[in-house]
Amino acid sequence: MSLDVEPPEPPELAAVDPNEYEDAEVAGGEYRRDELEAFLREGAWAEAFDEWAAASDMDEEDWQIALDLDLVSRFDFFWDDFADRVGYHAPGLPEDWKERDLHPDLDSWGTVSAINAGLTELGQIVCETLKAEYIDWEAEFEAPDDLPDFEA
């Protein structure tokens, strides 16, 4: 399947401590958001979006709901120096979506799941694109000398 839509504007990255997210644990305090945001605007976002859309299971109706709810603007990307990777937080729809009456076309768990899974997949592809094509810095974390040697 594929999603034939234009990429939205990349998100602006806020100064949030990624450890506040339920799904992240990041060591260090330099998240390099300014540099990551610049890479997104220079083409990483559009490149990753196109790759994601070409294989996405989301349909145009699901994507429109995500746009209407401004979910894309709530993505967060940050540098995780300890793991030498780009981390991310994908926005999603809450479990109480039905009680909150978030959107008139949001009417099933299938739609909620498709949107949440699709945005998670997009976030992962953006991270992979940033790391592979844009980031040329090395992690500054150095392991202590007293760690055991696990090489065989």
Side-chain angles (χ1 to χ4, degrees):
M1 227 166 125
S2 71
L3 181 63
D4 188 21
V5 295
E6 290 295 315
E9 288 296 312
E12 294 181 16
L13 306 183
V16 174
D17 182 346
N19 292 303
E20 293 181 22
Y21 301 127
E22 293 175 12
D23 58 350
E25 186 175 326
V26 181
E30 177 55 47
Y31 305 120
R32 301 182 93 151
R33 284 194 173 92
D34 290 341
E35 292 159 283
L36 293 173
E37 189 172 323
F39 292 148
L40 293 174
R41 297 206 175 286
E42 290 168 10
W45 176 261
E47 182 180 330
F49 187 89
D50 289 344
E51 178 183 336
W52 168 78
S56 179
D57 289 333
M58 284 181 73
D59 61 26
E60 281 79 8
E61 292 81 19
D62 296 342
W63 180 245
Q64 190 58 54
I65 292 170
L67 290 178
D68 291 349
L69 295 174
D70 199 28
L71 294 177
V72 171
S73 72
R74 297 192 325 212
F75 265 105
D76 188 18
F77 298 95
F78 47 87
W79 178 246
D80 182 348
D81 194 60
F82 181 76
D84 191 28
R85 69 176 179 97
V86 178
Y88 74 103
H89 174 74
L93 298 169
E95 289 185 15
D96 65 348
W97 61 271
K98 194 177 273 190
E99 293 82 19
R100 294 172 68 180
D101 196 27
L102 295 174
H103 192 280
D105 295 330
L106 192 58
D107 57 5
S108 75
W109 276 106
T111 300
V112 170
S113 294
I115 291 169
N116 287 348
L119 293 176
T120 298
E121 291 166 358
L122 174 57
Q124 184 61 44
I125 292 172
V126 170
C127 290
E128 291 167 1
T129 300
L130 284 165
K131 181 74 168 129
E133 305 294 330
Y134 289 84
I135 293 174
D136 62 359
W137 62 72
E138 295 291 325
E140 294 176 14
F141 174 79
E142 291 187 28
D145 292 334
D146 60 350
L147 288 179
D149 185 6
F150 293 109
E151 291 182 27

